[in-house]
Amino acid sequence: MVDILPNSFSVHGDQELEPPAESPEIEKLGVDDMLQKYCGEFGSWQLRHFLLTCLAWALESIHTTVMIFADRQPGWRCLDGGSGRGCSPDAHSVCDLRPGSWEWIHGKGSSTVAEWGLVCGERYKVGLVQSLFFVGCMIGAGVFGHLSDSKLGRKGSLAVICLLNAVFGNLTALSPHYWTYVLFRILTGFSTGGVGVCAFVLATEPIGPNKRTVAGMSTFYFYSAGIAILSGIAYIFPSWRALYIASSVPSILFILILPFINESPRWYLVRGKTKQAMKIMQQIAKSNRKHLPGSVLLVLDEEVDVNMTPNEAEGEPRKPITGSVIDILRSPVARFRLFLTMTIYFTVTVVYYGLTLNVVNLKTNLYLNVFLNAISEMPAFILTIVLLDKFGRKRLAIGTQFFSGLFCIIGSLLKSHGEWKVVRMVCGILGVFGMAGTYNLLLIYSLELFPTVVRNAALGCAAQALHMGAIVAPFVVVLGGRVAFAVFGACGILGGALAVYLPETLNRPLFDTLAAMERGESV
């Protein structure tokens, strides 16, 4: 018989019962704090996820730079007896030769230039299709930037992009005439434009703040590796049609990898899918051999100090927090950052692409040239990674752009013949070196400047400005000589001057919402 006494728990007087266990107090943490405290900032889970996701960067570089080989002007030679019919091997251009007195060395199928006669008065069409490709990239970056922040998510957008890349790449190879080719290149650009934004954000968002910088800066190695791989593919497949098919195969293979890639827990969180976000955080902790207590709850930055309802505390779905470019424009802080970021991206791209577009005019082995060009950028990436946490994002962004702009201005003052031509070439190499470093650090800088809810939308806008600079670059190159170098120098100096007004994000938290970012800015 049990005797029940007030305010006590006993059996037959002497034998006490244990009081009911109290439920553990819920510990609310943001993504960064949870990664640092319980899950691990960069363990085996993040390494696998990072490597698989960043393979998409190689796809972007392949689909972008394939035009260098497909649209090249191949060598030509006089036909037998051509000298007597108006053909001279010493002629500077086929435009000076009589039709029918010469032929393309590797046949008309070697490039689009040879197949459709894009020489002489039709030469502008080569630059036109390249510029229109970047127009497609600009549109696609904005569209997929929005979709990856909203309904599709980062992983879903990447899946759609790779599928479209594979389809449009293969259709390009079947183009019956020039204007169909232009159309499919625009469509390929549309899908390619979203690759970098989605892959970069998806790869870096699950990484802790102390490791995110180095990881984010390392994504460009995959881009350069893609260009180097393309050189080999182009060497094996000299026909432009076969090249487009071969360069589309990696996109098909990447679709098979996607099931092994997870969606971003940050995206799940801002979409109100807390259970899915917590499931991924638990996977990260388990894979990294860490322990994530059941009493820990993942919340947005602004909810850490806010009392939650029982359903929310149990991880029940909340109303999703959405954001778009309109929300960025409504926020004075975010609006100013977006304006500066887009302008800097534009100037950087004009210089970067402008200084590298002359590779087909160097009269050397094109395949080796493109390969070495890709490899030569890697020291700039290494140097940026080493210096980024020492000097901060802001000072390094200013310094690398001023460095590039200075050497471009020096190049504009030099003559283009004799030994001065070599010095000008060195100035161009140093200009590319500086901008390659800027290009690299801008990605991690931009990621940290905007909160999760609008991060991809903001990066999509920045990517649009980037592609707009790529559109303009070929027209600057046409100016040639000192004028082109002067324009590149002015763009470098302008970009560095604008970076002065950006805030430093080193050792600052990665905010989830605009409200949290504005509060952090006021501190």
Side-chain angles (χ1 to χ4, degrees), residues 48-377:
R48 176 187 60 82
H49 184 264
F50 179 81
L51 292 176
L52 292 178
T53 305
C54 285
L55 290 175
W57 275 89
L59 305 182
E60 181 183 10
S61 64
I62 288 174
H63 285 288
T64 300
T65 56
V66 67
M67 65 180 74
I68 295 177
F69 301 100
D71 299 337
R72 74 188 188 280
Q73 180 171 320
W76 57 273
R77 63 190 171 197
C78 292
L79 293 171
D80 292 338
S83 298
R85 294 187 294 165
C87 180
S88 171
D90 298 326
H92 295 291
S93 169
V94 295
C95 301
D96 302 326
L97 307 179
R98 183 178 299 175
S101 64
W102 60 277
E103 66 178 357
W104 299 111
I105 292 178
H106 298 293
K108 289 187 175 181
S110 59
S111 76
T112 59
V113 171
E115 181 155 337
W116 293 316
L118 306 182
V119 293
C120 307
E122 299 291 304
R123 181 63 183 169
Y124 76 93
K125 290 184 177 180
V126 176
L128 179 63
V129 69
Q130 293 176 356
S131 291
L132 290 177
F133 170 83
F134 287 113
V135 170
C137 289
M138 182 177 64
I139 298 172
V143 171
F144 285 106
H146 171 72
L147 291 176
S148 61
D149 271 338
S150 55
K151 296 181 179 180
L152 288 182
R154 284 79 160 113
K155 181 181 175 180
S157 296
L158 203 55
V160 173
I161 286 168
C162 291
L163 178 62
L164 293 178
N165 268 343
V167 171
F168 294 142
N170 283 288
L171 289 176
T172 302
L174 304 177
S175 302
H177 47 71
Y178 172 78
W179 291 110
T180 306
Y181 175 69
V182 170
L183 174 62
F184 286 132
R185 286 300 288 164
I186 293 174
L187 293 175
T188 304
F190 173 78
S191 54
T192 302
V195 174
V197 173
C198 295
F200 180 77
V201 175
L202 182 58
T204 55
E205 281 192 334
I207 297 174
N210 294 320
K211 306 295 183 181
R212 190 181 300 122
T213 298
V214 174
M217 300 288 286
S218 300
T219 56
F220 253 93
Y221 289 108
F222 293 85
Y223 188 91
S224 298
I227 299 176
I229 292 171
L230 177 64
S231 301
I233 296 175
Y235 183 79
I236 296 171
F237 298 95
S239 166
W240 74 269
R241 294 185 185 273
L243 176 59
Y244 271 112
I245 294 175
S247 62
S248 300
V249 171
S251 293
I252 299 174
L253 296 178
F254 187 78
I255 295 175
L256 302 178
I257 295 175
L258 276 171
F260 301 96
I261 297 175
N262 292 92
E263 180 56 87
S264 168
R266 294 181 185 273
W267 180 79
Y268 276 137
L269 187 61
V270 298
R271 295 296 294 176
K273 301 178 180 181
T274 308
K275 282 187 175 180
Q276 290 91 325
M278 279 298 298
K279 184 178 179 181
I280 292 178
M281 299 302 287
Q282 289 164 356
Q283 291 176 1
I284 295 174
K286 182 178 180 181
S287 180
N288 293 345
R289 298 183 178 181
K290 303 283 186 177
H291 175 63
L292 180 60
S295 59
V296 178
L297 180 64
L298 185 65
V299 297
L300 297 170
D301 298 328
E302 61 186 25
E303 295 176 338
V304 172
D305 298 320
V306 177
N307 292 327
M308 307 180 72
T309 64
N311 286 339
E312 290 175 332
E314 293 176 6
E316 292 296 322
R318 297 178 289 99
K319 183 179 179 181
I321 299 176
T322 59
S324 66
V325 177
I326 301 300
D327 297 299
I328 296 176
L329 296 178
R330 288 173 178 167
S331 168
V333 174
R335 181 173 63 242
F336 185 62
R337 291 184 181 185
L338 184 64
F339 168 76
L340 291 177
T341 303
M342 291 181 66
T343 307
I344 293 172
Y345 262 100
F346 175 82
T347 56
V348 166
T349 312
V350 169
V351 180
Y352 178 78
Y353 279 102
L355 289 173
T356 56
L357 277 178
N358 281 329
V359 64
V360 295
N361 299 322
L362 296 180
K363 309 299 181 182
T364 55
N365 187 300
L366 181 61
Y367 307 102
L368 181 61
N369 242 328
V370 173
F371 177 81
L372 294 177
N373 196 43
I375 299 299
S376 65
E377 295 178 356

Side-chain angles (χ1 to χ4, degrees), residues 308-484:
M308 307 180 72
T309 64
N311 286 339
E312 290 175 332
E314 293 176 6
E316 292 296 322
R318 297 178 289 99
K319 183 179 179 181
I321 299 176
T322 59
S324 66
V325 177
I326 301 300
D327 297 299
I328 296 176
L329 296 178
R330 288 173 178 167
S331 168
V333 174
R335 181 173 63 242
F336 185 62
R337 291 184 181 185
L338 184 64
F339 168 76
L340 291 177
T341 303
M342 291 181 66
T343 307
I344 293 172
Y345 262 100
F346 175 82
T347 56
V348 166
T349 312
V350 169
V351 180
Y352 178 78
Y353 279 102
L355 289 173
T356 56
L357 277 178
N358 281 329
V359 64
V360 295
N361 299 322
L362 296 180
K363 309 299 181 182
T364 55
N365 187 300
L366 181 61
Y367 307 102
L368 181 61
N369 242 328
V370 173
F371 177 81
L372 294 177
N373 196 43
I375 299 299
S376 65
E377 295 178 356
M378 293 185 178
F381 303 154
I382 296 174
L383 188 62
T384 309
I385 292 174
V386 171
L387 299 179
L388 192 62
D389 283 341
K390 182 177 182 180
F391 293 101
R393 288 83 165 114
K394 181 176 179 176
R395 284 197 288 177
L396 199 57
I398 296 170
T400 52
Q401 290 181 90
F402 279 170
F403 178 89
S404 179
L406 175 62
F407 279 100
C408 287
I409 290 176
I410 293 174
S412 70
L413 302 176
L414 300 176
K415 298 177 181 179
S416 59
H417 58 270
E419 60 184 13
W420 293 110
K421 182 169 63 175
V422 178
V423 178
R424 175 183 279 188
M425 181 187 69
V426 173
C427 288
I429 293 174
L430 292 174
V432 171
F433 180 86
M435 279 304 166
T438 308
Y439 214 120
N440 195 14
L441 73 90
L442 275 181
L443 276 175
I444 191 68
Y445 200 2
S446 301
L447 182 147
E448 295 173 344
L449 285 170
F450 299 95
T452 304
V453 70
V454 294
R455 184 168 296 125
N456 265 30
L459 290 181
C461 291
Q464 286 181 304
L466 180 152
H467 295 305
M468 191 175 295
I471 295 170
V472 172
F475 297 101
V476 178
V477 173
V478 171
L479 298 175
R482 296 181 175 181
V483 177

Side-chain angles (χ1 to χ4, degrees), residues 21-29 37-38 293-297 304-305 307 313:
E22 295 182 2
S23 58
E25 184 179 350
I26 295 176
E27 182 181 7
K28 294 182 292 183
L29 295 174
K37 191 171 183 179
Y38 293 112
S295 59
V296 178
L297 180 64
V304 172
D305 298 320
N307 292 327

